[in-house]
Amino acid sequence: MYTRLVSHTDKINQQLARYGVKFGIYKGGVFEERLFPFDAVPRIIEADRWQHLERGLIQRVDALNAYLRDLYNEAQITRDGVVPEHFAYASSGYLPQCENTMPPEGIYSHISGIDLVEGNDGEWYVLEDNLRIPSGASYPLIARNLCRRCDADTFREVPLVDNRDYGSRLKGVMDNVNRGGINVVLTPGRYNAAYFEHSYLAEKMGAVLAEPSELFVEDEVLYYRDSTRNARVGAVYRRLSDEYLDPLCFLPESLIGVPNLMCAYRAGNVAIINAPGNGAADDKGIYYFVPQMVEYYLGEKPILRNAPTYLPYYPDDLAYVMENAENLVIKDVAEAGGYGVVFGCELEPEKLAELKDLVRAEPRRFIAQEVIDFKCLPTWINHEMVPRKADLRAFVLSGEKTTVWPSGLTRYARQEGSSVVNSSQGGGFKDTWVLSR
């Protein structure tokens, strides 16, 4: 099915490099740009498997949006004891500045990146929910475009669902909440890790790519400044973290924010995508409660499963983690990109003891999970086919309705035996083929 594509792997990677498809990271305080290695052997998902996954993803994101609407306004879920009040508000992603502020159309997470693995038992397991500024959609988008150029026959022969509409889907999400004006992709600039994606997606959806210095607020309205006119901005797809958005509301030392942006947002004059404060729901500790949220808000049983998870915040779970730490994955709830993830089996006894002491001292800071035995995918590395662990980041878009992009970013571990697939940890990526029949 993909034999011819494999022979073009080197050529496709060369073209990706020419387009600037790189992943930037800061290492030791120094910015480094690295190629994001592409493997032409795709992940293939059958139509019926995809339909099941799609239903589960829509259900999950709808519940998470309901939680954010509730938490920042009525907070009924904490009063009913489904999520402990102290636990919810202790999240580092919770922003008091966003209380009693309802975003346009009541949508908080417009673009959700849900990370899953397919277990060897055939089940899909959600590992985490990314609701702040999830990145990665541009990579399979451009990779498939280049693959089509190299081997158009394969894409005529294989019954794939087309993934080229992501730009129009994203535009539809922005148009749905636009408060009157142009759509803008707000980038911190060239040295951001995902700058390629910012510029590529802005082009695909016909939005203006703007840096903070090109935006200003006047009379609680956001404007884009160019050489000829000041254009009103109705929706901002921001690609910088909450704390840097507005120096008058969050970090005063931020040089990449837009002063008074939050005033325009609170006044209902601009939509911010994704909404500020979403970190309160993609905290890895809150992940523990998502199945309960599905039942609480939607009255349905969860379609997708969490990885078996323990919350040291609860004394019984803490005791279990202390007894079984060497067999668990322990995660710092505030970390991302593969950082703060520790496999107990890989630690020397002294380091494991230190970690357990830290978990005892700061139980709200950690979760622990059973190690999921997830599938390896065939991967072409150094001119041979080898098995490598791989996850899937699915992109769920919430506009007039919630939909799932029939594609996704499959990331694979380049090192044999490794389960860490994050691009920031040296992983590569694949296209994700959803079969239409």
Side-chain angles (χ1 to χ4, degrees):
M1 184 182 291
Y2 46 74
T3 305
R4 291 192 303 267
L5 271 179
V6 172
S7 66
H8 295 293
T9 297
D10 291 343
K11 180 180 179 182
I12 294 168
N13 273 288
Q14 289 166 7
Q15 291 177 347
L16 289 169
R18 287 182 62 190
Y19 277 101
V21 182
K22 300 178 181 180
F23 194 89
I25 63 171
Y26 284 93
K27 189 174 183 180
V30 177
F31 178 80
E32 296 180 10
E33 265 194 331
R34 298 179 180 175
L35 293 177
F36 195 7
F38 173 68
D39 174 36
V41 182
R43 174 196 286 274
I44 299 173
I45 303 177
E46 303 286 342
D48 57 343
R49 295 280 289 160
W50 177 256
Q51 289 168 3
H52 170 80
L53 193 56
E54 185 178 43
R55 288 195 302 271
L57 289 165
I58 290 171
Q59 179 193 63
R60 190 175 182 96
V61 169
D62 283 348
L64 285 163
N65 264 311
Y67 173 69
L68 285 163
R69 281 194 297 273
D70 185 12
L71 185 67
Y72 280 108
N73 293 279
E74 302 301 325
Q76 190 64 44
I77 195 169
T78 62
R79 291 203 294 275
D80 288 342
V82 179
V83 179
E85 184 177 51
H86 175 265
F87 194 92
Y89 293 120
S91 170
S92 61
Y94 182 84
L95 300 181
Q97 299 93 325
C98 298
E99 290 176 355
N100 300 311
T101 300
M102 185 68 73
E105 309 302 324
I107 301 171
Y108 280 81
S109 186
H110 311 79
I111 303 147
S112 307
I114 310 299
D115 292 345
L116 313 101
V117 292
E118 187 178 8
N120 282 315
D121 59 1
E123 290 280 347
W124 286 100
Y125 293 89
V126 177
L127 293 185
E128 62 182 60
D129 307 290
N130 298 281
L131 311 180
R132 298 185 223 197
I133 42 174
S135 64
S138 64
Y139 302 117
L141 195 57
I142 190 172
R144 187 171 309 179
N145 185 41
L146 294 175
C147 287
R148 283 181 182 276
R149 293 185 196 175
C150 290
D151 182 18
D153 288 342
T154 290
F155 292 91
R156 281 192 286 265
E157 296 164 3
V158 179
L160 292 187
V161 179
D162 201 334
N163 78 339
R164 287 175 287 187
D165 65 347
Y166 188 75
S168 62
R169 285 174 180 251
L170 198 53
K171 181 179 185 301
V173 164
M174 295 191 72
D175 288 347
N176 181 59
V177 294
N178 189 295
R179 299 293 91 182
I182 63 172
N183 290 330
V184 163
V185 176
L186 174 59
T187 176
R190 170 71 183 80
Y191 291 104
N192 183 265
Y195 182 74
F196 160 77
E197 176 157 282
H198 306 170
S199 57
Y200 189 72
L201 292 182
E203 177 187 346
K204 288 296 179 184
M205 62 176 163
V208 172
L209 181 68
E211 295 192 16
S213 61
E214 297 173 296
L215 299 176
F216 68 96
V217 174
E218 187 174 279
D219 296 329
E220 298 185 332
V221 175
L222 181 66
Y223 293 94
Y224 169 71
R225 178 191 295 113
D226 66 15
S227 58
T228 58
R229 64 190 178 99
N230 294 330
R232 177 169 177 165
V233 179
V236 176
Y237 180 16
R238 52 73 173 252
R239 297 305 300 260
L240 60 159
S241 300
D242 288 347
E243 60 268 30
Y244 300 109
L245 267 177
D246 182 344
L248 300 181
C249 187
F250 302 116
L251 285 180
E253 62 267 33
S254 171
L255 300 177
I256 58 173
V258 179
N260 286 315
L261 175 58
M262 287 297 292
C263 290
Y265 172 65
R266 289 196 195 101
N269 293 328
V270 67
I272 299 178
I273 299 164
N274 282 339
N278 278 10
D282 75 2
D283 177 309
K284 291 183 177 68
I286 296 298
Y287 158 96
Y288 178 92
F289 298 99
V290 177
Q292 292 97 303
M293 291 178 198
V294 171
E295 297 196 37
Y296 182 78
Y297 291 116
L298 307 182
E300 301 169 358
K301 293 293 183 183
I303 296 170
L304 296 176
R305 297 173 61 181
N306 277 8
T309 303
Y310 307 97
L311 215 57
Y313 176 85
Y314 293 128
D316 288 350
D317 280 14
L318 177 60
Y320 181 87
V321 172
M322 293 300 103
E323 292 174 10
N324 298 278
E326 65 276 10
N327 300 316
L328 300 172
V329 184
I330 298 176
K331 298 180 178 181
D332 188 319
V333 300
E335 294 282 359
Y339 297 100
V341 177
V342 178
F343 288 81
C345 62
E346 296 178 356
L347 295 180
E348 296 294 329
E350 313 84 62
K351 292 294 182 183
L352 184 62
E354 290 176 10
L355 178 60
K356 289 166 69 173
D357 288 343
L358 190 56
V359 173
R360 281 194 205 94
E362 301 181 66
R364 174 60 178 85
R365 181 180 164 186
F366 297 94
I367 62 168
Q369 294 177 328
E370 301 286 355
V371 179
I372 298 292
D373 181 21
F374 64 100
K375 283 186 176 180
C376 290
L377 298 181
T379 306
W380 187 251
I381 296 180
N382 296 328
H383 304 287
E384 64 174 334
M385 200 71 77
V386 294
R388 289 291 185 268
K389 295 288 188 183
D391 77 349
L392 171 66
R393 173 165 291 181
F395 293 91
V396 185
L397 304 182
S398 301
E400 289 187 9
K401 61 179 182 177
T402 307
T403 62
V404 185
W405 183 41
S407 185
L409 177 66
T410 291
R411 300 174 295 185
Y412 67 90
R414 301 188 74 208
Q415 300 301 317
E416 183 178 3
S418 174
S419 295
V420 180
V421 302
N422 304 74
S423 47
S424 56
Q425 305 296 313
F429 80 101
K430 297 169 172 281
D431 193 3
T432 305
W433 289 4
V434 177
L435 300 186
S436 59
R437 63 178 185 273

